[in-house]
C-alpha cells in the first residue's frame, strides 16, 4: 500500500470529470433544445446545417418577394379593371354617336364625356404606383433597340421599339426593306415587305404578319409573338410613302420587373407590364383643349363617320387591355404556384435541418439521467479512494 501517490483517486477523479462533462453537455442540449451547440459537437453536421439555414432564410425572403409580386399584379390589374370599365362606357357612347338620329349638338355632349373618360384613362395609367414605382407607364416592359448604323439606314434612327411580348426570343431581327404607304381609297396606311419573305428571312417566326395602325407597326405570329415598332418620328403622315431599309432590331430581354423568387442566383421571374396609354390602345385621334387650356389627345366621335371608326378603335382598346390583364393573370398564377412550391420546399428542408440540429429530448434525458447517476457514483467512490491512504496509518501503530 502506498501513501505518496493515490492512483485510485486519480482514476476515480478522471471518471468523475468525464461524467461531470457529460452532465454539463446534456444540460446544455436540454436547455437549448439543440443537438449541435458548437462546432466541436459535430463539425460536418454544423457545416451542412448552416448551409441549410441560409437556404431556409433565402426561401423565406423569396416567398415574401413572390407575395409582393402578387400584390403588384393585383394593383395593376385593379387599375386596368377601372380602365376596362371606362372603355366599355366609351363603346356605348361611340355606338350612340354613330346613330344617324343624333344631332351635332348631341355628339358635342357625347364628345365631352368621351374626352373626360380618355383623360381619366391617361391619369389612372400615369398615377398607378406600387412602393413609389409607376406600373403602367412602360417602365417595366421589355425594351428593344434599333441599330441605325447599317448602310442605307437613314430612316432607322427615327424608329424605336415600342414593346414586345415575352414570347419574343432574345436575339437580333432584321428586315431588308419595309414600305409604308397610304391606300388612296380607304386613306389607311399599309405595310409591305421586300422581298415578301423578309420577316421569315429576318428571324421572325414562320407565318409572322405585320399591320399598321396610326404610326405603330405591329408584327405578330400565332405562338404569341408580338413586336410593335413606333414610327412617330418618321412623320409618315407627311412623308408616306416611306421606305425603311436594313432594319436591325435588338430584342435584349431587359426592362421587365425581375422578381427574385428563389434562394439561389438566377431563380427569377420577369414580369412584363406593357405601357398603358391612349396611344398604345389606338385611341389618340384628335387633340382638344381641356378645362385648364392644355391640349390633350382624345377619341373623336364628332361625326357619324368618326364615331363609326371609334367603335372599332374602342373594340381594339378593349382587346388590348383584356390581353394585358390576361397576361398579368397568368403571371399571378405562376407566382401563386411558386409560393406553394416554396412553402413545400421550406417544410422539407426545415425537417432535414431539424434532424441535424434539434436534440431528441427523450433520448437526451436518458443520457442526462445516466450521466448524473454515474457522477454520483464517481463522487462516492472518490471519497472512498481518498480514504484509502489513511488506512496505512494503522500499520504504523
Amino acid at each position: 500500500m502506498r501513501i505518496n501517490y493515490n492512483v485510485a483517486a486519480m482514476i476515480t477523479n478522471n471518471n468523475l470529470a468525464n461524467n461531470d462533462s457529460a452532465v454539463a453537455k446534456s444540460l446544455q442540449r436540454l436547455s437549448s433544445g439543440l443537438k449541435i451547440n458548437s462546432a466541436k459537437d459535430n463539425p460536418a453536421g454544423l457545416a451542412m446545417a448552416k448551409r441549410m439555414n441560409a437556404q431556409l432564410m433565402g426561401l423565406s425572403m423569396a416567398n415574401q418577394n413572390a407575395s409582393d409580386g402578387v400584390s403588384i399584379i393585383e394593383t395593376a390589374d385593379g387599375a386596368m379593371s377601372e380602365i376596362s370599365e371606362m372603355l366599355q362606357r366609351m363603346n356605348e357612347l361611340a355606338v350612340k354617336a354613330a346613330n344617324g338620329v343624333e344631332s351635332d349638338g348631341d355628339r358635342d355632349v357625347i364628345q365631352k364625356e368621351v374626352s373626360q373618360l380618355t383623360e381619366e384613362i391617361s391619369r389612372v395609367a400615369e398615377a398607378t404606383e406600387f412602393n413609389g414605382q409607376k406600373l403602367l407607364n412602360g417602365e417595366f416592359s421589355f425594351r428593344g433597340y434599333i441599330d441605325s448604323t447599317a448602310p442605307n439606314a437613314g430612316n432607322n434612327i427615327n424608329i424605336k421599339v415600342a414593346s414586345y411580348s415575352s414570347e419574343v426570343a432574345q436575339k437580333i431581327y432584321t428586315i431588308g426593306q419595309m414600305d409604308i404607304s397610304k391606300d388612296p381609297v380607304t386613306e389607311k396606311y399599309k405595310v409591305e415587305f421586300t422581298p415578301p419573305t423578309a420577316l421569315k428571312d429576318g428571324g421572325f417566326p414562320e407565318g409572322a404578319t405585320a399591320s399598321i395602325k396610326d404610326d405603330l407597326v405591329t408584327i405578330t405570329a400565332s405562338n404569341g409573338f408580338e413586336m410593335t415598332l413606333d414610327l412617330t418620328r418618321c412623320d409618315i403622315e407627311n412623308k408616306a410613302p416611306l421606305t425603311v431599309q436594313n432594319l436591325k432590331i435588338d430584342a435584349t430581354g431587359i426592362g421587365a420587373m425581375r422578381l427574385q423568387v428563389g434562394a439561389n442566383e438566377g431563380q427569377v421571374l420577369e414580369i412584363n407590364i406593357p405601357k398603358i396609354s391612349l396611344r398604345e390602345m389606338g385611341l389618340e385621334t384628335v387633340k382638344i383643349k381641356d378645362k385648364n387650356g392644355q391640349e390633350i389627345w382624345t377619341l373623336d366621335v364628332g361625326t357619324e363617320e368618326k364615331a363609326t371608326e371609334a367603335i372599332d378603335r374602342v373594340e381594339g382598346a378593349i382587346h388590348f387591355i383584356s390581353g394585358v390583364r390576361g397576361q398579368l393573370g397568368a403571371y399571378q398564377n405562376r407566382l401563386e404556384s411558386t409560393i406553394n412550391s416554396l412553402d413545400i420546399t421550406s417544410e422539407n428542408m426545415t425537417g432535414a435541418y431539424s434532424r441535424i440540429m434539434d436534440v431528441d429530448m427523450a433520448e437526451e434525458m436518458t443520457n442526462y439521467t445516466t450521466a448524473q447517476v454515474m457522477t454520483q457514483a464517481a463522487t462516492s467512490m472518490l471519497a472512498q479512494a481518498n480514504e484509502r491512504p489513511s488506512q496505512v496509518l494503522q500499520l504504523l501503530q
Side-chain angles (χ1 to χ4, degrees):
M1 300 179 69
R2 303 175 180 84
I3 62 171
N4 199 24
Y5 294 101
N6 192 344
V7 176
M10 294 173 63
I11 295 173
T12 305
N13 185 59
N14 287 338
N15 288 327
L16 175 61
N18 291 336
N19 292 332
D20 189 62
S21 177
V23 170
K25 185 178 294 184
S26 289
L27 284 171
Q28 184 182 30
R29 289 175 176 174
L30 289 169
S31 61
S32 67
L34 298 175
K35 187 188 302 182
I36 303 175
N37 290 281
S38 63
K40 69 182 179 62
D41 294 337
N42 186 348
L46 180 66
M48 292 174 59
K50 289 305 178 183
R51 285 199 301 271
M52 285 186 179
N53 189 46
Q55 191 80 355
L56 282 169
M57 295 175 69
L59 289 172
S60 176
M61 186 54 64
N63 196 317
Q64 182 177 330
N65 291 347
S67 298
D68 289 341
V70 171
S71 298
I72 288 170
I73 292 174
E74 289 176 342
T75 301
D77 184 64
M80 284 188 285
S81 175
E82 291 302 315
I83 292 176
S84 182
E85 292 296 326
M86 287 186 278
L87 289 174
Q88 294 289 353
R89 176 57 181 167
M90 289 170 64
N91 182 64
E92 295 175 10
L93 294 171
V95 171
K96 185 176 181 61
N99 187 13
V101 175
E102 305 300 330
S103 66
D104 291 341
D106 295 332
R107 290 193 180 92
D108 287 342
V109 175
I110 294 173
Q111 180 67 66
K112 289 180 180 179
E113 183 175 354
V114 169
S115 298
Q116 288 293 322
L117 288 170
T118 54
E119 189 175 357
E120 180 63 12
I121 288 174
S122 296
R123 189 200 66 79
V124 170
E126 183 63 27
T128 301
E129 296 181 352
F130 185 90
N131 193 29
Q133 299 185 87
K134 296 185 182 299
L135 299 180
L136 304 181
N137 66 346
E139 184 175 339
F140 296 114
S141 62
F142 285 126
R143 296 184 180 90
Y145 301 93
I146 301 296
D147 181 5
S148 59
T149 62
N152 303 319
N155 289 316
N156 295 1
I157 195 172
N158 294 320
I159 301 173
K160 67 177 183 178
V161 179
S163 64
Y164 59 89
S165 64
S166 55
E167 288 77 13
V168 174
Q170 299 177 20
K171 63 178 185 179
I172 294 179
Y173 298 86
T174 60
I175 299 176
Q177 181 171 317
M178 179 172 66
D179 299 304
I180 310 294
S181 59
K182 179 181 283 189
D183 190 306
V185 178
T186 62
E187 295 189 348
K188 292 185 178 181
Y189 295 109
K190 61 180 180 180
V191 56
E192 297 175 313
F193 298 93
T194 303
T197 59
L199 290 180
K200 179 182 177 182
D201 297 340
F204 291 88
E206 182 75 30
T209 59
S211 61
I212 183 170
K213 190 169 188 178
D214 298 331
D215 43 19
L216 295 175
V217 174
T218 303
I219 303 172
T220 58
S222 58
N223 64 347
F225 181 104
E226 183 173 309
M227 180 183 293
T228 303
L229 306 178
D230 187 347
L231 278 64
T232 304
R233 294 183 295 179
C234 291
D235 193 17
I236 60 175
E237 183 177 353
N238 296 318
K239 295 183 179 180
L242 177 72
T243 298
V244 175
Q245 293 181 316
N246 300 325
L247 185 64
K248 288 188 177 181
I249 306 165
D250 184 1
T252 61
I254 63 171
M257 179 180 289
R258 292 168 59 88
L259 298 179
Q260 181 70 35
V261 293
N264 302 320
E265 180 184 3
Q267 295 178 340
V268 299
L269 175 62
E270 294 184 336
I271 296 180
N272 178 33
I273 307 177
K275 184 177 181 179
I276 305 298
S277 69
L278 299 178
R279 177 177 178 74
E280 271 63 31
M281 291 187 285
L283 300 181
E284 283 187 348
T285 60
V286 68
K287 267 187 176 181
I288 65 168
K289 289 188 176 181
D290 63 10
K291 59 185 178 181
N292 298 320
Q294 299 293 325
E295 284 190 330
I296 61 170
W297 282 100
T298 186
L299 185 66
D300 190 359
V301 293
T303 66
E304 185 176 342
E305 293 76 16
K306 293 293 185 181
T308 301
E309 180 187 352
I311 294 174
D312 179 62
R313 287 180 175 271
V314 173
E315 182 181 355
I318 292 173
H319 177 75
F320 174 79
I321 288 294
S322 298
V324 175
R325 293 185 67 189
Q327 176 182 325
L328 292 182
Y331 283 135
Q332 183 171 345
N333 288 336
R334 286 187 62 183
L335 284 172
E336 290 177 352
S337 296
T338 298
I339 291 171
N340 293 335
S341 177
L342 289 172
D343 287 340
I344 294 172
T345 302
S346 182
E347 289 174 8
N348 294 331
M349 189 163 289
T350 301
Y353 178 77
S354 175
R355 284 190 293 273
I356 296 174
M357 292 295 294
D358 288 351
V359 68
D360 184 330
M361 296 296 287
E363 179 183 357
E364 194 58 41
M365 194 64 201
T366 300
N367 295 335
Y368 169 73
T369 303
T370 301
Q372 193 175 39
V373 171
M374 295 297 294
T375 299
Q376 292 174 355
T379 301
S380 177
M381 291 304 101
L382 181 60
Q384 295 296 325
N386 287 333
E387 186 66 23
R388 288 188 65 189
S390 64
Q391 296 174 0
V392 178
L393 296 177
Q394 296 179 5
L395 299 176
L396 300 178
Q397 292 177 357

